[in-house]
């Protein structure tokens, strides 16, 4: 080659391009690191630095310990005892999370939840993938508009009219159980109750919300039933937990097609197909229903009404379908899990079960909606004690969208050793509240806080002074609080009471392997009970008819 030959432009670019691309990449990486350092410095200056547990993992902080624990609430409570009612925990890849265990700080947090404290990018991605851009996903004015549009479907008047639907599902399950028990030789039968509670809840929400019977109590095959049931038999793998933890920093990781992500995708597609089918049918029936005095305040009626371009609280087609998916998911997952927990606790505490049955039998006929609310105090106590000990949703995790100051009901010691009665929170700070940790806290609920003790709801002094400081339904965080408080609370509690009253009046429940049978937390879509050694979320109970 002649040393004086001028290289062609293409060969010159081939020579320079790799180095140029590398330099550009390095420049972007340096800029990203610089911005991260500036944000970290601002965060450290603006946020009160608190005490907290040391990291147990360089990568995960303490997040992996919490994720694999059978009782993360106990870990949060132990740290609150050691470090104060507000403290910091090290999280994934150097992140820090502020944990709130103080009733006053928690009340402040929930009142500002849709503006100051908002979903994290991970939460938004997970919710959108599972149920779309509906009420659970929405924030700010969008959340306010969607909630206002749906509120009439969950009023006292609306739930009062739906009580007969709850009874119908409960009695359908009773009839199936009677058949199983009567065909047994010993006068009792072992029945896997969680699956039945799932199907009671799904059929109920189908009829009550959409005038559609999924028929799962009759064994009717339906795509949504099959997908929901699959979650119970497919527990999250260690690899899935690894992806979720890293996704808290890099949400794009959720795009990786894990088995569980594919299951969520299938669930979302299935619920969307069913929602669209129900909407098409309901639109066709709308005029006929209205001419016969049909209820526009039913959930599906409100959704169809909101589709109109001139509707005061207009929702897009995407939002309408998302609301239906939310109700399907919530109707299947939440009440069914707590009904299962209630049957477990009654099986473990036969004296409580007997006392509840006596109250129900003494009352006589099936109570109305208003009687369920006011005339059966022990049923109310059993239901709320279950809701206290076993909230379906384990945590509220949010990120601060702006700087804020959290007031405290008692002072805490900062990392520098000073005492303070308020905490400065910088924009970008992660906040978490462990709902079961607050519901079961000994400092808040007293020394018997871990016990299933319905009597605490029956006396004036049963709910202690500290517990009374917790804002939320009956001083519980089970339905959270503030503008994101569960819209379906009354629906869920009425269904819970109705189904439990029918089952306890007619059957006696025992743990199959004795009252000390160990039960652990498994995971459907949300945490679920499971008898240790059972597959999926199996809860087999020995059941006989009450004579």
């Amino acid at each position: 080659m002649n040393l004086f030959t001028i290289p062609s432009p293409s060969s010159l670019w081939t020579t320079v391009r790799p180095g140029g691309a590398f330099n550009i990449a390095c420049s972007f990486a340096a800029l990203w690191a610089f911005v991260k350092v500036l944000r970290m410095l601002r965060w450290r200056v603006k946020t009160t630095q608190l005490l907290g547990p040391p990291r147990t993992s360089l990568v995960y902080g303490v997040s992996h310990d919490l994720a694999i624990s059978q009782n993360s609430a106990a870990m949060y409570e132990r740290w609150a005892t050691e470090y104060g009612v507000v403290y910091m925990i090290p999280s994934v890849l150097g992140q820090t999370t502020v944990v709130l265990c103080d009733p006053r700080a928690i009340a402040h947090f929930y009142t500002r939840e849709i503006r100051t404290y908002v979903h994290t990018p991970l939460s938004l991605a997970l919710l959108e993938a599972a149920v779309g851009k509906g009420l659970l996903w929405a924030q700010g004015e969008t959340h306010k508009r969607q909630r206002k549009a749906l509120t009439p479907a969950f009023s006292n008047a609306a739930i009062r009219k739906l009580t007969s639907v709850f009874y119908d599902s409960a009695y359908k399950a009773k009839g199936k159980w009677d058949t199983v028990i009567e065909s047994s030789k010993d006068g009792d039968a072992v029945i896997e109750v969680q699956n039945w509670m799932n199907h009671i809840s799904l059929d109920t929400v189908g009829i009550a919300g959409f005038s559609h019977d999924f028929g799962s109590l009759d064994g009717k095959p339906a795509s949504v039933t099959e997908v929901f049931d699959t979650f119970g038999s497919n527990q999250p793998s260690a690899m899935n937990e690894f992806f979720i933890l890293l996704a808290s920093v890099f949400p794009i990781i959720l795009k990786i097609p894990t088995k569980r992500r594919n299951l969520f995708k299938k669930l979302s597609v299935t619920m969307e197909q069913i929602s669209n089918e129900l909407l098409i049918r309901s639109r066709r029936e709308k005029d006929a229903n209205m001419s016969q005095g049909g209820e526009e305040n039913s959930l599906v009626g409100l959704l169809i009404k909101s589709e109109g371009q001139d509707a005061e609280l207009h929702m897009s087609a995407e939002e309408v379908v998302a609301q239906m998916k939310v109700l399907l998911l919530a109707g299947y997952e939440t009440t069914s899990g707590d009904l299962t927990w209630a049957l477990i606790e009654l099986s473990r505490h036969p004296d409580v079960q007997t006392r509840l049955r006596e109250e129900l039998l003494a009352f006589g006929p099936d109570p109305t909606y208003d009687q369920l609310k006011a005339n059966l105090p022990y049923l109310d106590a059993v239901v709320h004690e279950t809701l206290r000990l076993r909230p379906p949703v384990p945590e509220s995790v949010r990120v601060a969208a702006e700087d804020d100051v959290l007031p405290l009901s008692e002072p805490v010691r900062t990392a520098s050793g000073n005492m303070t009665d308020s905490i400065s929170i910088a924009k970008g700070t992660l906040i978490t509240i462990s709902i079961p940790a607050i519901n079961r806290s000994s400092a808040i609920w007293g020394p018997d806080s871990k016990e299933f003790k319905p009597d605490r709801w029956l006396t004036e002094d049963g709910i202690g002074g500290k517990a009374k400081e917790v804002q939320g339904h009956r001083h519980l965080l089970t339905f959270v609080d503030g503008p994101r408080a569960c819209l379906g609370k009354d629906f869920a509690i009425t269904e819970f009471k109705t189904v439990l009253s029918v089952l306890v009046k007619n059957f006696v429940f025992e743990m199959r392997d004795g009252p000390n049978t160990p039960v652990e937390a498994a995971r459907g879509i949300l945490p679920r009970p499971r008898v240790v050694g059972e597959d999926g979320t199996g809860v087999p109970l020995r059941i006989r008819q009450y004579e």
Side-chain angles (χ1 to χ4, degrees), residues 21-80:
F22 177 75
N23 290 335
I24 291 171
C26 287
S27 298
F28 274 115
L31 180 62
W32 178 83
F34 180 66
V35 170
K36 292 291 284 184
V37 169
L38 284 181
R39 286 178 178 172
M40 178 60 71
L41 289 174
R42 182 185 185 279
W43 178 81
R44 290 193 66 85
V45 170
K46 289 275 189 177
T47 301
T48 305
Q49 298 301 298
L50 301 167
L51 301 171
R55 66 177 57 251
T56 57
S57 164
L58 188 63
V59 175
Y60 299 123
V62 297
S63 297
H64 186 251
D65 302 325
L66 289 166
I68 64 173
S69 173
Q70 272 289 311
N71 192 355
S72 61
M75 296 175 67
Y76 283 119
E77 186 179 359
R78 185 177 73 249
W79 290 333

Side-chain angles (χ1 to χ4, degrees), residues 297-361:
N297 280 351
S298 68
L299 182 69
V300 73
L302 289 168
L303 290 173
I304 292 172
K305 183 180 177 181
S306 72
E307 288 183 307
Q309 289 299 325
D310 58 346
E312 179 187 356
L313 299 167
H314 173 72
M315 282 194 278
S316 67
E318 180 186 16
E319 288 176 331
V320 167
V321 171
Q323 312 308 344
M324 298 183 76
K325 289 162 73 174
V326 167
L327 188 63
L328 282 172
L329 185 64
Y332 179 87
E333 271 295 298
T334 54
T335 309
S336 56
D338 268 328
L339 276 165
T340 307
W341 273 117
L343 295 178
I344 290 170
E345 294 294 356
L346 292 174
S347 298
R348 287 171 159 175
H349 300 87
D351 54 329
V352 174
Q353 184 181 160
T354 298
R355 184 174 169 186
L356 175 59
R357 186 177 297 107
E358 288 173 350
E359 178 185 75
L360 293 167
L361 291 170

Side-chain angles (χ1 to χ4, degrees), residues 136-268:
L136 292 182
W137 176 92
Q139 305 191 112
E141 288 302 315
T142 301
H143 178 273
K144 186 177 179 181
R145 170 176 53 82
Q146 291 186 7
R147 187 179 178 95
K148 188 175 180 180
L150 295 172
T151 295
F154 296 97
S155 66
N156 285 344
I159 305 303
R160 184 178 287 109
K161 292 178 180 179
L162 293 175
T163 305
S164 61
V165 175
F166 305 150
Y167 276 120
D168 287 345
S169 293
Y171 275 107
K172 187 177 284 188
K174 174 194 175 297
K176 302 290 184 181
W177 288 9
D178 282 336
T179 301
V180 172
I181 293 169
E182 287 164 4
S183 64
S184 68
K185 296 178 180 179
D186 303 322
D188 61 27
V190 173
I191 295 176
E192 201 291 281
V193 296
Q194 183 140 240
N195 198 44
W196 282 95
M197 298 306 105
N198 292 344
H199 293 172
I200 286 174
S201 296
L202 184 62
D203 283 2
T204 296
V205 80
I207 297 169
F210 313 118
S211 301
H212 173 77
D213 187 357
F214 286 106
S216 61
L217 284 167
D218 295 318
K220 181 180 176 182
S223 53
V224 68
T225 313
E226 292 167 4
V227 178
F228 274 132
D229 288 349
T230 303
F231 272 93
S233 57
N234 284 273
Q235 296 299 301
S237 64
M239 183 60 70
N240 186 78
E241 298 288 358
F242 167 77
F243 281 134
I244 289 294
L245 288 171
L246 289 186
S248 65
V249 180
F250 306 111
I252 196 171
I253 288 174
L254 293 177
K255 302 291 185 183
I256 297 173
T258 63
K259 184 177 182 180
R260 195 159 178 86
R261 181 185 177 277
N262 291 339
L263 202 55
F264 267 107
K265 186 176 180 180
K266 184 178 180 182
L267 174 64
S268 180

